[in-house]
Amino acid sequence: MKINLFPAVFLVLLLLGCKNEDEINPEVLTQNQWLRVYEYSDADQPYDIVYSIDFKSDGKVYSEVFVRDMETKNVLGFLEYYNGTYQIIENKVTVSIIEHFINMGGTFYSNKEGLSLQNIENQSREYQLRKNNSELHTLMPLYASSLGIIYKRID
């Protein structure tokens, strides 16, 4: 009995030679703006809650969550922001947060000066690029009670 090995060898080469479509390209990560916008309406004023994240080529990262007027796009105030550093490890973006400011006041949002510095130790977040590098997904721990945020690439 003669065995044809060509199909098996071809399949193995194909599987080993395929590039993961979601492999992180540092240039895509740093040369684009990443946003997630939620639309809301409170009384007569429609507004957006905008999550933004900005990766710099020097390994620094800056993120903020702010409220803006839906029609004029003017920023009304902030809910939080953080800065830190990031590394790409095993196809994940790992962010180490250095300073994290959040809204601790009695109002929904405030100016940046009104946000409070959180006492943090070893706080980090993980992200992964998906859908041909067009979406940045937060990776949530298994015990998390909320869904991750999906940022869209703004070219």
Side-chain angles (χ1 to χ4, degrees):
M1 178 162 82
K2 187 176 181 181
I3 300 175
N4 188 353
L5 293 177
F6 179 75
V9 171
F10 178 76
L11 182 60
V12 169
L13 289 174
L14 181 65
L15 290 174
L16 293 176
C18 287
K19 182 180 177 187
N20 182 355
E21 71 170 320
D22 295 327
E23 187 174 311
I24 295 177
N25 177 345
E27 290 181 6
V28 169
L29 193 64
T30 60
Q31 293 177 358
N32 293 283
Q33 186 178 19
W34 300 92
L35 294 178
R36 171 65 173 136
V37 179
Y38 293 99
E39 295 180 356
Y40 290 95
S41 184
D42 185 16
D44 293 328
Q45 182 180 12
Y47 61 91
D48 296 324
I49 297 180
V50 180
Y51 292 76
S52 73
I53 190 164
D54 187 16
F55 297 95
K56 302 294 185 185
S57 59
D58 64 359
K60 294 184 180 170
V61 63
Y62 183 79
S63 178
E64 57 188 22
V65 182
F66 56 90
V67 179
R68 73 178 181 194
D69 184 280
M70 192 182 296
E71 295 168 2
T72 66
K73 304 298 184 200
N74 292 332
V75 174
L76 302 173
F78 293 84
L79 302 174
E80 73 171 293
Y81 71 94
Y82 71 80
N83 63 63
T85 61
Y86 73 93
Q87 294 179 316
I88 300 171
I89 302 171
E90 295 181 7
N91 212 29
K92 292 180 188 171
V93 180
T94 301
V95 171
S96 297
I97 298 174
I98 296 171
E99 292 182 313
H100 188 190
F101 294 84
I102 64 169
N103 185 3
M104 296 290 288
T107 59
F108 176 52
Y109 54 82
S110 67
N111 58 23
K112 279 190 176 178
E113 294 75 29
L115 299 179
S116 301
L117 178 64
Q118 284 298 109
N119 185 10
I120 59 173
E121 257 185 64
N122 300 323
Q123 190 177 24
S124 64
R125 297 187 180 169
E126 287 188 324
Y127 302 90
Q128 192 170 51
L129 284 174
R130 296 187 182 156
K131 294 194 178 181
N132 291 323
N133 295 320
S134 67
E135 292 182 354
L136 183 69
H137 290 238
T138 58
L139 299 177
M140 303 299 285
L142 294 176
Y143 54 85
S145 62
S146 62
L147 299 174
I149 297 171
I150 300 173
Y151 296 84
K152 301 285 184 175
R153 183 178 77 207
I154 309 298
D155 297 328

